[in-house]
Amino acid sequence: MSETVIKFGILGCADIARKVGRAISLAPNATIVAVGSCSAQKAAKFAADHGFPPGTQSTALRTPSSTTRSLHAKWAVLAAQKKKHLILQKPVAVDVAEFDKIVEACVASCVQFMDGTMTARMKEFISDGRAFGKLRAMHTCFTFAADPVFLENDIRVKPDLDALGALGDADWYCIWAILWGNDYELPRTMTTSRGPLFNKAGVILSCGASLDWEDGRVATFHCSFLSHLTMDITAVGMKGTLHVHDFIIPFQESEASFSVASESGFDGKPAEHLVSTSLPQEAMMVKEFSSLVGAIKAKGSHPEMRWPIISRKTQLVIDAVKLSIERRFEPVEILG
Amino acid sequence: MSETVIKFGILGCADIARKVGRAISLAPNATIVAVGSCSAQKAAKFAADHGFPPGTQSTALRTPSSTTRSLHAKWAVLAAQKKKHLILQKPVAVDVAEFDKIVEACVASCVQFMDGTMTARMKEFISDGRAFGKLRAMHTCFTFAADPVFLENDIRVKPDLDALGALGDADWYCIWAILWGNDYELPRTMTTSRGPLFNKAGVILSCGASLDWEDGRVATFHCSFLSHLTMDITAVGMKGTLHVHDFIIPFQESEASFSVASESGFDGKPAEHLVSTSLPQEAMMVKEFSSLVGAIKAKGSHPEMRWPIISRKTQLVIDAVKLSIERRFEPVEILG
């Protein structure tokens, strides 16, 4: 029996929608059936421009503004109530209270929830006690040099649209990666670093923080819209080190590269590893999501709660970063 | 006219002395003439074991203990007063007050001072405004997994010997590298991260910190005796990114490797660069030192003050790290 093909509707026509749209086209168990935007014309043009399947419905969303973060909750809850399974782009919500409303709606309707963060594929090495040992420290960095148009107009720099700025965008990925490396164990405290940068409207353009766990593990992240593209994960274990320099989007679409060193000395150059994937990582995500939804539809499976749990933890740390900056870089305890 | 060959005496027989001894042998303008240790026999054995030139004098130092950090000041001042030029291993002193006594003695005797930190060789890229742009952030990490013998017995873990622990060892390099990248401009504040680790005697085994400058530049470092060997510099400019994974000791002795990306997008894999050197980096340092000393001897030049000034700044940040940890991770203002 062939797998159920899951039908997707896309809300919003931002660049990420183009990207996820392509991923849906590539995933073998997914297809696009509808696009919604502020006007049906805009949605139709978007579908045509990006080669979405003929017959894709174009819908005008009855909303005062676009489908930005601040409206995520409204649309997400509405969609869940209509029994639609959800992939939500990061940042999922403006804070964890809003996040919980979305997940509650998903649970009530028995629909799958997933955030759009791409999955990393070098877990095997850092899970290998013999080669990597116990994780001691993780450092992540995601920066990109936004152009002047972005810095003036993008929803990510508007306080009334995506109020979180770099925190909800670049930081989301970094925090997500740190939690991933720490088996999704929340840190004990999170302290933002001095020197964050804001635009005139007070939206964060650059910030960093350090996190620590009970057992002495530590992590840092640094994120910015104002520096050259850098996408680093460094994970240091007692016996090994992992370096990734393209953890957000691999330099080569179907290939993830990272380097590892294990029990090596000063003459031990890290070994380069390449992991080939049959699909780009965002298509892998759509495929995974569609499989889960297919199982719910075909076999009455329960939604996989692993995804909303991970997203919620990421959101909790994001909330802590915001609070720590508001409190002038005071540490914030993170309570799961 | 051939260059003056500078005669070196080595105080102490630690592993670093072996290494610097070899560097002196390799440098074309330097030679070893004496080794001092707690006993003349120990010094003689050390000289013989490491193939120092025949005729190298072996001397017993009249001191209650070995030539550890806490005794650096005593020996350094004494040597300077005897008109000896000085290369001092890091950490140069226990604090900046002690450091200043050493440099005062050097200035009074008109002798050259240099700390033993190896120089990095990828400055060209990050100084290139067109390719790298303005520096925005630096992240450094130097960790190594000390073995149980080191963790029990090394002078770097004894409060009465090298009181600074990882702070005076691994941190010295990281701070030195951060200052190097920032053209030796001191940061405005330095804040240590939560989660440092100490041994039972209270000596730091692992710690990290974040630093910030007036204009929004930031930096972090992470150092540990308890994690796998990691030697990273990441420098992020507005237009470029530099990655170095062997900044302490190059994986290949006569070759420094680093990767750079400039104005690249998500498909822009950083380019690997190799810089060949005719001598290992520690021999380059000895050569540079010997040239300076040779100029003082032959032409009556003044000692080059650049080196003590850089060392003093490093020591100032080390002092701030110590203070910030004592003050439970409060930020410490750094006043040059």
Side-chain angles (χ1 to χ4, degrees):
Chain A
M1 193 184 82
S2 71
E3 209 183 338
T4 316
V5 171
I6 304 303
K7 296 173 194 158
F8 282 74
I10 295 178
L11 294 196
C13 296
D15 191 52
I16 189 69
R18 176 192 58 74
K19 203 165 164 163
V20 177
R22 177 167 170 266
I24 297 166
S25 310
L26 290 169
N29 53 356
T31 187
I32 302 171
V33 297
V35 177
S37 185
C38 48
S39 81
Q41 286 92 322
K42 192 176 168 192
K45 183 173 184 314
F46 182 81
D49 285 353
H50 300 299
F52 288 178
T56 298
Q57 268 192 290
S58 309
T59 310
L61 302 172
R62 282 184 216 92
T63 167
S65 175
S66 59
T67 50
T68 58
R69 285 329 88 88
S70 307
L71 291 167
H72 255 194
K74 181 191 148 174
W75 285 104
V77 168
L78 206 61
Q81 286 168 347
K82 300 270 186 190
K83 308 273 181 207
K84 303 300 177 202
H85 305 269
L86 291 177
I87 295 183
L88 281 184
Q89 272 310 305
K90 44 86 212 152
V92 172
V94 294
D95 57 29
V96 81
E98 193 181 277
F99 179 93
D100 285 346
K101 279 188 204 147
I102 299 171
V103 175
E104 275 159 28
C106 290
V107 169
S109 290
C110 212
V111 297
Q112 183 64 47
F113 169 97
M114 195 181 268
D115 78 51
T117 315
M118 317 307 177
T119 36
R121 296 124 306 161
M122 58 302 278
K123 187 74 184 175
E124 214 168 285
F125 174 62
I126 73 167
S127 302
D128 181 347
R130 228 173 26 154
F132 184 74
K134 209 169 135 25
L135 178 70
R136 303 296 314 160
M138 269 189 90
H139 304 291
T140 63
C141 178
F142 179 25
T143 64
F144 61 88
D147 60 36
V149 176
F150 177 108
L151 290 175
E152 276 298 312
N153 302 317
D154 195 88
I155 56 163
R156 283 167 279 187
V157 297
K158 300 280 187 187
D160 51 342
L161 296 177
D162 179 356
L164 294 172
L167 182 54
D169 187 68
D171 285 21
W172 182 277
Y173 286 106
C174 286
I175 292 167
W176 193 93
I178 289 171
L179 289 174
W180 163 83
N182 284 279
D183 282 331
Y184 305 106
E185 190 191 331
L186 281 169
R188 175 174 55 179
T189 58
M190 201 290 315
T191 314
T192 47
S193 304
R194 273 148 209 271
L197 299 174
F198 305 88
N199 69 9
K200 282 180 194 154
V203 173
I204 296 169
L205 300 181
S206 167
C207 71
S210 60
L211 304 91
D212 69 287
W213 284 256
E214 290 287 347
D215 65 354
R217 264 172 297 153
V218 292
T220 64
F221 67 79
H222 171 72
C223 300
S224 177
F225 288 163
L226 303 174
S227 307
H228 183 257
L229 182 64
T230 308
M231 312 179 276
D232 289 353
I233 294 177
T234 305
V236 188
M238 289 179 80
K239 294 182 185 174
T241 304
L242 167 79
H243 284 117
V244 190
H245 292 311
D246 58 354
F247 89 97
I248 305 293
I249 298 175
F251 294 129
Q252 311 240 335
E253 187 167 71
S254 58
E255 205 169 73
S257 67
F258 56 95
S259 69
V260 305
S262 179
E263 301 200 76
S264 59
F266 285 106
D267 54 354
K269 193 167 185 174
E272 290 288 336
H273 287 253
L274 289 176
V275 178
S276 296
T277 52
S278 53
L279 287 172
Q281 62 181 1
E282 59 274 20
M284 297 290 278
M285 175 193 72
V286 169
K287 189 180 165 205
E288 160 83 3
F289 178 81
S290 299
S291 288
L292 293 171
V293 173
I296 295 168
K297 285 177 181 284
K299 305 179 215 156
S301 304
H302 285 287
E304 171 61 79
M305 288 307 287
R306 172 182 160 77
W307 299 112
I309 288 170
I310 292 171
S311 303
R312 185 176 197 273
K313 288 182 175 182
T314 308
Q315 184 80 52
L316 271 174
V317 180
I318 293 275
D319 285 11
V321 174
K322 207 166 46 171
L323 190 60
S324 175
I325 288 180
E326 280 165 19
R327 292 187 181 164
R328 308 286 306 146
F329 321 114
E330 282 296 307
V332 171
E333 230 179 302
I334 299 184
L335 305 166
Chain B
M1 195 183 79
S2 72
E3 209 182 337
T4 316
V5 171
I6 305 303
K7 296 173 193 160
F8 281 76
I10 295 178
L11 294 195
C13 297
D15 192 53
I16 188 72
R18 177 191 61 71
K19 205 165 164 167
V20 176
R22 177 167 170 268
I24 297 167
S25 308
L26 289 170
N29 53 356
T31 187
I32 304 172
V33 296
V35 177
S37 186
C38 48
S39 82
Q41 286 91 321
K42 192 176 168 193
K45 183 174 185 313
F46 183 79
D49 285 356
H50 300 299
F52 287 179
T56 297
Q57 268 190 291
S58 308
T59 310
L61 302 173
R62 283 183 216 94
T63 167
S65 175
S66 60
T67 50
T68 57
R69 287 322 96 85
S70 306
L71 291 167
H72 253 193
K74 183 192 146 173
W75 285 105
V77 169
L78 207 61
Q81 286 168 348
K82 300 271 187 192
K83 309 274 182 208
K84 304 299 179 203
H85 306 269
L86 292 176
I87 295 181
L88 281 184
Q89 272 309 306
K90 43 90 217 148
V92 172
V94 295
D95 57 28
V96 82
E98 193 181 276
F99 179 93
D100 284 346
K101 279 187 204 146
I102 299 171
V103 175
E104 276 160 28
C106 290
V107 168
S109 291
C110 212
V111 297
Q112 183 64 48
F113 169 97
M114 195 182 267
D115 77 52
T117 315
M118 318 307 179
T119 36
R121 296 125 307 162
M122 58 301 277
K123 187 72 185 176
E124 215 169 284
F125 175 62
I126 73 167
S127 302
D128 181 348
R130 229 175 26 158
F132 185 75
K134 210 169 136 22
L135 177 70
R136 303 299 313 163
M138 269 189 89
H139 304 290
T140 63
C141 177
F142 179 25
T143 64
F144 61 89
D147 60 36
V149 176
F150 177 108
L151 290 175
E152 276 298 313
N153 300 317
D154 193 88
I155 57 163
R156 283 167 280 188
V157 297
K158 301 280 187 186
D160 50 342
L161 298 176
D162 181 355
L164 294 172
L167 182 53
D169 187 69
D171 285 21
W172 182 278
Y173 285 106
C174 286
I175 292 168
W176 194 92
I178 289 171
L179 289 174
W180 163 83
N182 283 279
D183 283 330
Y184 304 106
E185 191 191 332
L186 281 168
R188 175 172 55 179
T189 59
M190 203 290 315
T191 314
T192 47
S193 304
R194 274 148 208 272
L197 299 174
F198 305 88
N199 69 9
K200 281 177 196 157
V203 173
I204 296 169
L205 300 181
S206 167
C207 71
S210 60
L211 304 91
D212 68 288
W213 284 256
E214 290 287 346
D215 64 354
R217 264 172 296 154
V218 292
T220 64
F221 66 80
H222 171 71
C223 300
S224 177
F225 288 162
L226 303 174
S227 307
H228 183 258
L229 182 64
T230 308
M231 312 180 275
D232 289 354
I233 294 176
T234 305
V236 188
M238 290 179 79
K239 294 183 185 173
T241 305
L242 167 78
H243 284 117
V244 191
H245 292 311
D246 59 354
F247 89 98
I248 305 293
I249 298 176
F251 294 129
Q252 311 240 337
E253 188 167 69
S254 59
E255 207 170 72
S257 67
F258 56 95
S259 68
V260 304
S262 179
E263 301 199 76
S264 58
F266 286 106
D267 54 353
K269 192 166 187 176
E272 290 287 337
H273 287 253
L274 287 176
V275 178
S276 296
T277 52
S278 52
L279 289 171
Q281 61 181 4
E282 58 275 21
M284 297 290 279
M285 174 193 71
V286 169
K287 189 180 164 206
E288 160 84 3
F289 178 79
S290 299
S291 288
L292 293 172
V293 173
I296 296 169
K297 284 178 183 285
K299 305 180 214 155
S301 303
H302 285 288
E304 171 61 81
M305 288 305 289
R306 172 182 159 77
W307 299 111
I309 288 170
I310 292 170
S311 304
R312 185 175 196 274
K313 287 181 175 181
T314 309
Q315 185 80 51
L316 272 174
V317 179
I318 293 276
D319 285 12
V321 174
K322 206 164 49 170
L323 189 63
S324 175
I325 289 180
E326 280 165 18
R327 292 188 180 162
R328 308 285 308 145
F329 322 113
E330 283 294 309
V332 171
E333 228 179 302
I334 299 185
L335 305 166

